[in-house]
Amino acid sequence: MKQPFVSKDQLAAIVRRYPTPFHLYDEAGIRKNVEAVLDAFSWNPGFKEYFAVKANPNPSLIAILREYGCGCDCSSLTELMIARALDITGHNIMFSSNDTPAEDFRLARELGAIINFDDISHIPFFEQVAGPIPETVSCRFNPGGLFKLANGIMDNPGDSKYGMTEEQLFEAFRMLSERGAKHFGIHAFLASNTVTDDYYPALARILFELAVRLTRETGAHIAFVNLSGGVGIPYRPEERANNIGAIGDGVRRAFEEILVPAGMDDVALACEMGRFMLGPYGCLVTRVIHEKQIYKDYLGVDANACDLIRPAMYGAYHHITVMGSEEGPDKSQMPATHTYDVTGNLCENNDKFAVDRMLPETAVGDLLVIHDTGAHGYSMGYNYNGRLRSAEVLLRMDGSTELIRRAETPRDYFATLEVTAEGRSVIAQASAPSSPATTPCSVTNHE
């Protein structure tokens, strides 16, 4: 059974300060996890975790990871701007993008980021828009076909838009060498959200063997191998969590068997984990505001797919704990006796956090914790139906809370309108004082 990282009493106090819905993050869990990751790969002196900013772009959370020496894996102009604002620059940024606009390449070059080329055609494009090729570069590899482990097919790289073929990769190394590159990295992402300790070691063997061939055939100095992301988390309570210590040990064995005999024991390792770094350490807190009984029983909550799109987009499972009302019993301790669909208020029938989910008997006013939203939760939010995105709150080590992103207001939603007469009218009305019943969370300063 999944347990929330926040108690019912803690949550009752938090919701009195911050109106639901909001994403809540666990600082203690984040710190413990990053320490485990660094320990698992401590055998490699050059190891670096480049946190995948796409998973959660909140600067307050990235700043925690920065304390441990983590860099940023950026894929867009604004993600690069977040890194720059946090004084994360140079080779502390891995710029892994695709279909890359010119302005993105220019800023990455300005910040001194390691450019991870997704396609061979991007090499002359980069020169055209951003200037000379840097001395340290990386290339993204796609082996095609199916990626399989002993426990079955993991993913289908052949259908992926990312990376180069092996033939293109060798040609790209030659092109980059001719253009002044001296130190190279290779990168691959072959499967998403793997819940097995075998994925990284298997990927490492593929990339280590490729690195040896590249060195022998092109003379390139392979400075690092980037295993990217793909290490998953157990969204379902019956799933076994990955053992990052065992994963690191499996990669070490591959390193010692392949790279060390080839005289390449100076190769540094890199990862770009997002989901594994933050996923379990965030949750979406929402309140039941309606019950509906027709052909099924529905619990209508004050969050919707704009706050967490994964169930609607992928049919993804997110566990739900019923905490009970602030005054009522802790329903997380009660047996699951009722079947519900848990729904949001969008005008789309897939706006459901759960379908036919067994939960304790739940009533209007009860608080729900939707687990594992720390990665690809808030970051995938949007504004369909004019719904406004929720706040983000950090639960500190000492039990205090800090508002790290306020909830959107109607003024935020209308702020990008062109200033026509109609636009001015809408913005003026959005800026007018609201009644207390409709005023969103107005706290703007950290506690």
Side-chain angles (χ1 to χ4, degrees):
M1 177 63 67
K2 279 184 176 285
Q3 296 296 327
F5 56 77
V6 61
S7 71
K8 176 178 175 290
D9 290 340
Q10 278 182 303
L11 194 60
I14 294 170
V15 298
R16 284 194 287 270
R17 183 167 181 80
Y18 308 108
T20 57
F22 56 83
H23 287 271
L24 181 67
Y25 303 105
D26 176 23
E27 180 185 9
I30 293 169
R31 290 185 179 277
K32 182 178 180 181
N33 188 56
V34 68
E35 289 169 0
V37 169
L38 296 177
D39 182 65
F41 290 94
S42 59
W43 54 268
N44 183 263
F47 174 77
K48 194 169 192 68
E49 160 62 24
Y50 290 92
F51 172 68
V53 177
K54 65 180 73 68
N56 193 317
N58 193 295
S60 295
L61 302 179
I62 298 171
I64 294 173
L65 303 179
R66 181 191 57 186
E67 292 180 29
Y68 295 87
C70 295
C72 285
D73 164 47
C74 298
S75 59
S76 70
L77 183 78
T78 48
E79 289 181 1
L80 287 167
M81 293 170 72
I82 291 171
R84 180 177 62 185
L86 291 167
D87 293 324
I88 298 173
T89 58
H91 287 187
N92 288 316
I93 301 175
M94 186 72 62
F95 186 60
S96 300
S97 62
N98 67 95
D99 288 337
T100 310
E103 62 180 348
D104 295 28
F105 269 145
R106 281 194 287 267
L107 182 56
R109 183 71 167 87
E110 177 186 325
L111 295 179
I114 297 174
I115 308 299
N116 185 27
F117 287 103
D118 179 68
D119 187 69
I120 193 168
S121 68
H122 290 184
I123 296 171
F125 178 76
F126 178 91
E127 288 182 301
Q128 176 186 347
V129 302
I133 296 295
E135 289 192 357
T136 299
V137 294
S138 180
C139 291
R140 192 167 187 173
F141 173 56
N142 183 333
L146 297 175
F147 181 71
K148 301 179 182 180
L149 294 177
N151 52 357
I153 296 172
M154 303 302 293
D155 217 322
N156 184 1
D159 275 351
S160 169
K161 68 175 182 175
Y162 307 114
M164 307 180 198
T165 67
E166 184 168 322
E167 182 180 0
Q168 289 172 335
L169 187 71
F170 277 75
E171 179 60 24
F173 268 49
R174 295 185 181 98
M175 288 174 61
L176 289 163
S177 293
E178 292 169 358
R179 289 161 165 79
K182 297 180 180 179
H183 309 289
F184 292 81
I186 54 176
H187 169 288
F189 178 83
L190 303 188
S192 179
N193 193 37
T194 61
V195 188
T196 170
D197 296 342
D198 299 330
Y199 170 62
Y200 257 11
L203 174 61
R205 288 182 179 278
I206 292 170
L207 294 183
F208 292 165
E209 289 170 356
L210 179 62
V212 172
R213 296 201 307 276
L214 281 162
T215 297
R216 289 173 178 169
E217 295 185 29
T218 70
H221 171 236
I222 306 295
F224 64 88
V225 171
N226 188 337
L227 301 176
S228 188
V231 178
I233 62 174
Y235 286 99
R236 295 178 179 272
E238 67 271 16
E239 290 179 322
R240 169 191 170 274
N242 283 321
N243 182 333
I244 195 63
I247 291 171
D249 193 53
V251 174
R252 178 189 58 77
R253 288 195 297 271
F255 188 96
E256 292 174 350
E257 292 171 14
I258 299 170
L259 291 181
V260 172
M264 299 173 65
D265 56 349
D266 63 334
V267 171
L269 294 182
C271 299
E272 295 170 355
M273 293 184 286
R275 193 189 316 263
F276 186 83
M277 299 303 291
L278 291 189
Y281 313 108
C283 63
L284 177 59
V285 180
T286 184
R287 190 183 294 277
V288 178
I289 58 174
H290 291 288
E291 292 180 84
K292 182 173 183 176
Q293 296 175 330
I294 47 173
Y295 307 106
K296 303 177 76 172
D297 287 353
Y298 295 93
L299 297 175
V301 299
D302 56 7
N304 56 56
C306 295
D307 302 300
L308 177 64
I309 197 176
R310 296 187 72 255
M313 178 179 283
Y314 306 121
Y317 181 96
H318 281 262
H319 198 65
I320 297 177
T321 297
V322 183
M323 303 295 281
S325 66
E326 295 178 37
E327 295 79 21
D330 184 352
K331 295 186 177 180
S332 65
Q333 307 301 317
M334 295 182 178
T337 56
H338 286 62
T339 303
Y340 297 105
D341 281 14
V342 181
T343 71
N345 49 25
L346 298 186
C347 297
E348 295 291 338
N349 197 43
N350 66 350
D351 181 22
K352 297 179 179 180
F353 295 111
V355 176
D356 295 329
R357 185 72 59 86
M358 293 296 296
L359 296 171
E361 184 174 5
T362 304
V364 170
D366 283 347
L367 291 170
L368 306 185
V369 166
I370 303 178
H371 293 251
D372 301 316
T373 71
H376 310 292
Y378 185 95
S379 65
M380 296 179 73
Y382 59 113
N383 288 115
Y384 181 61
N385 271 172
R387 296 297 179 184
L388 305 175
R389 285 178 287 185
S390 58
E392 293 181 289
V393 179
L394 179 61
L395 178 62
R396 286 293 192 183
M397 299 274 286
D398 61 3
S400 65
T401 55
E402 185 175 333
L403 186 69
I404 58 175
R405 191 191 301 268
R406 64 166 174 81
E408 287 184 336
T409 68
R411 183 171 178 82
D412 297 319
Y413 180 75
F414 295 121
T416 54
L417 288 174
E418 290 295 331
V419 186
T420 60
E422 293 80 6
R424 280 195 297 271
S425 175
V426 173
I427 294 169
Q429 291 185 51
S431 303
S434 302
S435 65
T438 59
T439 301
C441 179
S442 59
V443 180
T444 56
N445 297 318
H446 292 174
E447 288 183 81

